[in-house]
């Protein structure tokens, strides 16, 4: 059955009615994590604490006092969020063995609502990358590599299927793979240039990037302070709305969160789109966009038009500079943010003792991989006195132009923009690593990056399977803080396209009853 | 065009394309070799050394230096954009007032937790090697740049 038809089973209801127990759900997820270990989606699995949380949840359900929809729901968190008592590594040698002394605000919020934290997911080192291939714990494999749909379409190679697997995209690849392979119902990622939406598109899940300032970044190890946001990965749009509802809102510990009151919302079932105006930004037909995705994008536009919506071509003229601008601002902020890693208070520390400077240099030499070091050095270059105006300030000015492009388009009456999320479906790992990280990032982030530049909310909705049997998604970009409208439209679209459920071959089905719950689209 | 897998909505008849059929014409391409500014002169060894000092991170090998050159070349594209009279933007929330908390102590007393993650400590102090000793000069350091 398709993921999003009306008969999706509701895990929360099942928990409430006692048809399944939180401990059972947790056990099944943990078992599934074990049997899908080859995906390398998880860095740390917090088995004991998860079971304890599940037991506590079970008690609450027995007393008839669940904390809410998320009570007892297994979730996973990207390994760049601090989680008290659990190792937080950012997939880097620099933080191997670092046990966070506190919970990130978003993690705390999930725990306060009774969610069961299964573990920390894999990523590119310090969230730098678009493949989830550059972390010290190895690359993440896309669950769709092991799906019937992909296997049917791929030409078997002479050597084992080991070389055939495709990447998840990144940098929140572990989270996307975890949700896609049913090991959890929702996962947190982060999104700075597309890091939640890109893997969501490649793994066939919903990836939401909220408006900058809506969700707290306290406890999220920062990459680019002016663009980072926590991202939400789920199997359907309704679930994303539920997660958003529990995470959004002002946090006194994060002064970049807005102070407006946030009201969690339920998504209406939109039936009439005639009042909608959908914008198609022409610059998003970027060079290299696959003809498949182009066709899909076109069909989606037709879909809206045929349903009565107004579909107009719009222009965001500075789109192609977005990635260059990002490159400069990102490396500059990274140079600053990575300065905290000196081995003195936490993290890896070198044995070098000659002087503080040489100890710092040796620690950083040993702790960071090439990608991170490369960005730090580039960032420092752009921030040199002789380069500051030419590069850093220039990029900040171009940023305003990019943000203004969006303002103009939304002011002209367009409600939502519809664009592709990625240039193509997921590449095989062996092909992906032919180019270096920076090149790949500039290629892969091109369609997602501008939304981070302007701070706008954006969502990837899995749309269809490619000729290779792999997921392809489309992206909706909305106005600032208009997540309700964005998600409502996304939900309508999701219902129309009926994206198929992944048919995982390697995973044995144990108790089909409980598995049914796990495979359900939503918990809401 | 070969039909994509499933979905009734996909089999609806073709109309005029609503999405741009061709990519942006003036686009020079991104990533790879396209999309770079004109080839500029290399960064001098003095600047490279200076960067290693500032960043306390090393280039490690010629690939590292190449990476920097490519990054600069890529960033040079910014100069194509006319930004006369444009104000710089440092935050998308610039129209809002920054939130300031009341100056009340609400948490703390977590010395033990904070010291847990440090490798070298004595009582309640983090221990660092002696300071005020500059990094050895280029000639004396073991760095890739020495050979340049």
């Amino acid at each position: 059955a398709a993921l999003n038809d009306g008969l999706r089973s509701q895990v929360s209801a099942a928990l409430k009615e006692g048809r399944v127990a939180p401990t059972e759900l947790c056990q099944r997820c943990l078992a599934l994590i074990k049997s899908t270990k080859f995906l390398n989606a998880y860095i740390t699995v917090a088995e004991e604490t998860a079971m304890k949380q599940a037991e506590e949840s079970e008690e609450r359900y027995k007393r008839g006092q669940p904390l809410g929809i998320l009570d007892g729901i297994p979730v996973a968190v990207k390994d760049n969020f601090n989680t008290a008592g659990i190792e937080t590594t950012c997939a880097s040698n620099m933080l191997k063995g670092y046990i966070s002394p506190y919970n990130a605000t978003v993690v705390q919020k999930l725990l306060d609502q009774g969610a069961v934290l299964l573990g920390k997911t894999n990523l590119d080192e310090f969230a730098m990358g678009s493949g989830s291939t550059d972390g010290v714990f190895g690359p993440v494999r896309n669950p769709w590599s092991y799906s019937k749909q992909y296997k049917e379409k791929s030409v078997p190679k002479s050597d084992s299927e080991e070389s055939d697997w495709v990447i998840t995209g990144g940098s929140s690849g572990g989270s996307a793979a975890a949700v896609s392979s049913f090991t959890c119902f929702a996962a947190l990622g982060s999104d700075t240039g597309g890091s939640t939406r890109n893997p969501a598109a490649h793994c066939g899940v919903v990836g939401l990037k909220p408006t900058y300032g809506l969700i707290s970044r306290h406890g999220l190890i920062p990459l680019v302070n002016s663009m980072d946001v926590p991202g939400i990965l789920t199997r359907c749009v309704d679930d994303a709305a539920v997660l958003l509802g529990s995470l959004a809102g002002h946090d006194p510990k994060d002064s970049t969160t807005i102070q407006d009151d946030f009201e969690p919302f339920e998504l209406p079932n939109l039936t009439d789109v005639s009042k909608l105006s959908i914008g198609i930004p022409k610059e998003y037909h970027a060079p290299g966009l696959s003809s498949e995705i182009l066709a899909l994008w076109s069909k989606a536009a037709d879909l809206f038009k045929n349903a009565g919506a107004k579909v107009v071509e719009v222009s965001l003229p500075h789109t192609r500079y977005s990635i260059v601008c990002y490159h400069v601002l990102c490396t500059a902020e990274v140079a600053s943010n990575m300065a905290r890693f000196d081995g003195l208070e936490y993290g890896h520390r070198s044995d070098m003792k000659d002087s503080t400077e040489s100890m710092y240099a040796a620690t950083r030499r040993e702790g960071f991989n090439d990608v991170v070091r490369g960005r730090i050095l580039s960032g420092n270059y752009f921030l040199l006195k002789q380069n500051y105006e030419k590069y850093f300030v220039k990029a900040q000015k171009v940023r305003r132009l990019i943000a203004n492009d969006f303002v103009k388009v939304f002011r002209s009456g367009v409600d939502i923009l519809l664009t592709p999320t990625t240039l193509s479906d997921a590449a095989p790992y062996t092909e992906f690593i032919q180019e270096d990280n920076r090149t790949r990032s500039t290629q892969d982030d091109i369609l997602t990056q501008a939304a981070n530049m302007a701070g706008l909310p954006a969502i990837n909705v899995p749309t269809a399977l490619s000729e290779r049997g792999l997921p392809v998604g489309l992206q909706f970009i909305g106005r600032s803080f208009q997540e309700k409208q964005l998600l409502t439209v996304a939900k309508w679209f999701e219902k129309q396209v009926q994206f198929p459920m992944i048919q995982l071959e390697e995973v044995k089905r144990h108790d089909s009853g409980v598995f049914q719950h796990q495979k359900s689209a939503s918990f809401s | 065009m070969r039909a994509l897998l499933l979905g009734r909505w996909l089999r609806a008849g073709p109309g005029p394309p609503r999405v741009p059929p061709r990519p942006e014409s003036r686009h020079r391409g991104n990533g790879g070799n396209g999309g770079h500014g004109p080839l500029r002169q290399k960064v001098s060894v003095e600047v490279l050394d200076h960067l290693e000092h500032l960043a306390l991170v090393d280039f490690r090998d010629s690939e590292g230096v190449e990476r920097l050159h490519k990054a600069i070349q890529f960033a040079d594209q910014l100069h194509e954009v006319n930004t006369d009279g444009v104000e710089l933007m440092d935050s998308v929330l610039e129209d809002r007032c920054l939130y300031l908390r009341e100056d009340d102590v609400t948490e703390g007393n977590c010395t033990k937790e904070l010291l847990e993650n440090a490798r070298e400590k004595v009582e309640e102090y983090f221990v660092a090697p002696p300071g005020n000793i500059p990094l050895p000069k280029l000639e004396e350091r073991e760095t890739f740049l020495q050979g340049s």
Side-chain angles (χ1 to χ4, degrees):
Chain A
L3 263 185
N4 306 303
D5 62 33
L7 291 166
R8 61 176 191 251
S9 60
Q10 316 220 331
V11 177
S12 277
L15 284 171
K16 219 166 168 189
E17 290 157 27
R19 284 183 275 131
V20 66
T23 48
E24 215 183 322
L25 207 54
C26 182
Q27 255 157 10
R28 293 296 173 192
C29 285
L30 290 172
L32 199 55
I33 292 175
K34 282 207 181 82
S35 61
T36 53
K37 209 156 177 217
F38 54 90
L39 293 177
N40 202 17
Y42 287 82
I43 294 178
T44 306
V45 182
E47 224 174 294
E48 275 180 39
T49 51
M51 279 311 292
K52 189 153 167 293
Q53 285 158 12
E55 278 156 16
E56 287 168 7
S57 171
E58 203 157 304
E59 281 303 303
R60 288 191 291 268
Y61 274 107
K62 283 203 184 112
R63 288 198 308 267
Q65 294 169 337
L67 293 167
I69 286 190
L70 287 180
D71 206 335
I73 300 290
V75 298
V77 163
K78 186 175 180 182
D79 207 14
N80 58 354
F81 285 92
N82 275 289
T83 42
I86 300 177
E87 195 181 2
T88 300
T89 66
C90 293
S92 174
N93 278 321
M94 189 57 92
L95 287 177
K96 251 194 192 158
Y98 168 70
I99 312 277
S100 314
Y102 70 108
N103 278 322
T105 298
V106 288
V107 172
Q108 191 60 55
K109 283 189 170 184
L110 286 177
L111 294 174
D112 286 343
Q113 312 219 6
V116 172
L117 179 57
L118 294 174
K120 310 298 288 300
T121 56
N122 205 349
L123 59 154
D124 280 304
E125 184 160 336
F126 280 111
M128 300 187 200
S130 58
S132 301
T133 51
D134 277 322
V136 290
F137 297 102
V140 185
R141 299 185 181 204
N142 193 327
W144 284 84
S145 316
Y146 303 95
S147 69
K148 197 155 163 236
Q149 291 105 326
Y150 177 64
K151 292 210 169 142
E152 276 171 359
K153 297 280 166 173
S154 58
V155 178
K157 298 227 169 71
S158 53
D159 43 12
S160 72
E161 70 184 22
E162 280 301 294
S163 55
D164 246 349
W165 59 271
V166 298
I167 56 164
T168 49
S171 60
S172 312
S175 286
V179 173
S180 172
S181 58
F182 306 110
T183 57
C184 62
F185 285 86
L188 289 185
S190 66
D191 197 311
T192 306
S195 292
T196 291
R197 292 160 284 155
N198 178 296
H202 287 317
C203 293
V205 297
V206 170
L208 171 64
K209 174 213 167 296
T211 312
Y212 180 86
L214 187 61
I215 299 189
S216 172
R217 290 181 300 113
H218 175 76
L220 165 61
I221 296 175
L223 185 60
V224 182
N225 296 69
S226 63
M227 295 184 221
D228 287 350
V229 291
I232 293 170
L233 293 139
T234 55
R235 290 197 279 277
C236 71
V237 178
D238 270 328
D239 286 356
V242 170
L243 261 283
L244 184 70
S246 28
L247 298 177
H250 177 65
D251 180 14
K253 294 184 186 169
D254 178 358
S255 61
T256 60
T257 52
I258 58 163
Q259 289 165 261
D260 300 4
D261 282 324
F262 176 79
E263 282 299 320
F265 48 80
E266 250 187 62
L267 294 177
N269 270 314
L270 191 62
T271 43
D272 172 25
V273 297
S274 59
K275 298 200 185 57
L276 264 186
S277 172
I278 307 284
I280 308 283
K282 61 180 186 174
E283 291 83 1
Y284 277 67
H285 184 162
L289 185 67
S290 81
S291 51
E292 271 188 320
I293 299 196
L294 182 63
L296 209 61
W297 187 21
S298 186
K299 289 282 188 186
D302 286 341
L303 188 69
F304 277 101
K305 180 74 184 188
N306 295 335
K310 184 162 166 236
V311 178
V312 288
E313 189 183 82
V314 297
S315 176
L316 297 167
H318 297 93
T319 298
R320 64 188 159 104
Y321 294 108
S322 174
I323 199 72
V324 186
C325 189
Y326 174 65
H327 165 73
V328 173
L329 293 180
C330 175
T331 48
E333 290 219 35
V334 160
S336 168
N337 280 323
M338 295 295 134
R340 72 191 70 197
F341 296 106
D342 55 20
L344 209 49
E345 294 163 60
Y346 47 76
H348 173 70
R349 176 172 175 148
S350 160
D351 290 328
M352 164 69 72
K353 293 191 212 301
D354 294 353
S355 67
T356 38
E357 293 233 333
S358 62
M359 188 278 273
Y360 295 166
T363 296
R364 292 155 71 80
R365 177 175 229 270
E366 293 159 23
F368 290 139
N369 73 0
D370 288 344
V371 177
V372 179
R373 283 190 356 265
R375 291 202 193 188
I376 294 174
L377 288 162
S378 305
N380 275 105
Y381 179 82
F382 297 132
L383 290 172
L384 287 175
K385 249 192 282 197
Q386 67 255 38
N387 295 328
Y388 196 81
E389 282 284 333
K390 268 202 316 175
Y391 289 99
F392 186 64
V393 174
K394 181 82 181 179
Q396 290 184 304
K397 292 182 176 178
V398 174
R399 181 174 187 176
R400 181 175 298 283
L401 293 176
I402 294 168
N404 282 346
D405 279 354
F406 283 102
V407 169
K408 283 195 198 112
V409 162
F410 284 127
R411 234 178 238 160
S412 74
V414 167
D415 298 308
I416 304 268
L417 297 170
L418 167 64
T419 79
T421 313
T422 52
L423 294 177
S424 68
D425 56 6
Y429 176 69
T430 45
E431 197 184 294
F432 185 79
I433 52 173
Q434 303 279 328
E435 294 274 12
D436 71 78
N437 183 293
R438 190 192 63 84
T439 308
R440 283 298 180 206
S441 296
T442 52
Q443 288 165 345
D444 301 331
D445 286 344
I446 195 171
L447 301 170
T448 47
Q449 209 296 305
N452 296 84
M453 203 56 86
L456 300 172
I459 186 170
N460 171 76
V461 180
T463 308
L465 293 183
S466 67
E467 276 183 20
R468 287 163 66 215
L470 294 173
V472 165
L474 289 177
Q475 174 179 237
F476 293 91
I477 305 176
R479 298 167 194 242
S480 271
F481 303 107
Q482 301 303 311
E483 270 80 354
K484 184 167 181 190
Q485 182 182 51
L486 178 70
L487 290 171
T488 301
V489 174
K491 180 174 165 173
W492 179 86
F493 183 71
E494 174 189 62
K495 199 161 171 202
Q496 307 302 310
V497 305
Q498 303 272 302
F499 184 76
M501 195 181 314
I502 183 176
Q503 285 157 36
L504 277 175
E505 298 215 303
E506 317 272 291
V507 182
K508 290 257 162 58
R509 292 166 197 219
H510 302 289
D511 178 350
S512 65
V514 179
F515 198 67
Q516 229 7 31
H517 288 299
Q518 271 164 247
K519 279 193 118 186
S520 79
S522 79
F523 52 79
S524 56
Chain B
M1 148 119 236
R2 199 183 131 178
L4 293 166
L5 295 172
L6 80 147
R8 205 156 43 103
W9 68 286
L10 285 170
R11 292 186 227 124
R18 281 175 210 293
V19 302
R22 270 169 302 281
E24 267 278 280
S25 45
R26 241 173 45 89
H27 202 115
R28 288 190 211 163
N30 281 292
N33 275 318
H36 284 82
L39 195 53
R40 53 190 324 285
Q41 46 192 165
K42 304 226 176 242
V43 179
S44 71
V45 177
E46 285 76 37
V47 175
L48 291 177
D49 183 42
H50 184 48
L51 286 176
E52 282 197 340
H53 267 88
L54 281 178
L56 286 183
V57 144
D58 64 321
F59 282 99
R60 185 128 339 158
D61 51 29
S62 61
E63 223 180 283
V65 179
E66 240 333 275
R67 219 174 273 131
L68 177 67
H69 284 133
K70 284 220 176 80
I72 299 171
Q73 215 181 358
F74 188 65
D76 280 336
Q77 285 175 94
L78 276 182
H79 302 127
E80 293 166 23
V81 187
N82 183 346
T83 51
D84 292 339
V86 179
E87 286 263 326
L88 63 84
M89 176 187 245
D90 43 38
S91 169
V92 294
L93 299 176
E94 58 187 3
D95 291 334
R96 294 171 184 260
C97 266
L98 186 66
Y99 168 77
L100 293 175
R101 276 194 300 182
E102 286 303 314
D103 192 10
D104 295 324
V105 175
T106 51
E107 48 183 10
N109 280 324
C110 48
T111 318
K112 191 160 154 294
E113 286 88 345
L114 292 180
L115 286 172
E116 292 274 311
N117 282 299
R119 216 186 82 171
E120 314 254 344
K121 46 196 180 219
V122 166
E123 294 186 12
E124 292 191 340
Y125 292 90
F126 294 108
V127 180
N132 272 333
I133 302 176
L135 268 186
K137 290 216 194 342
L138 182 59
E139 307 80 61
E140 297 147 28
R141 270 191 296 135
E142 256 182 54
T143 163
F144 158 76
L145 294 176
Q146 261 212 21
S148 325

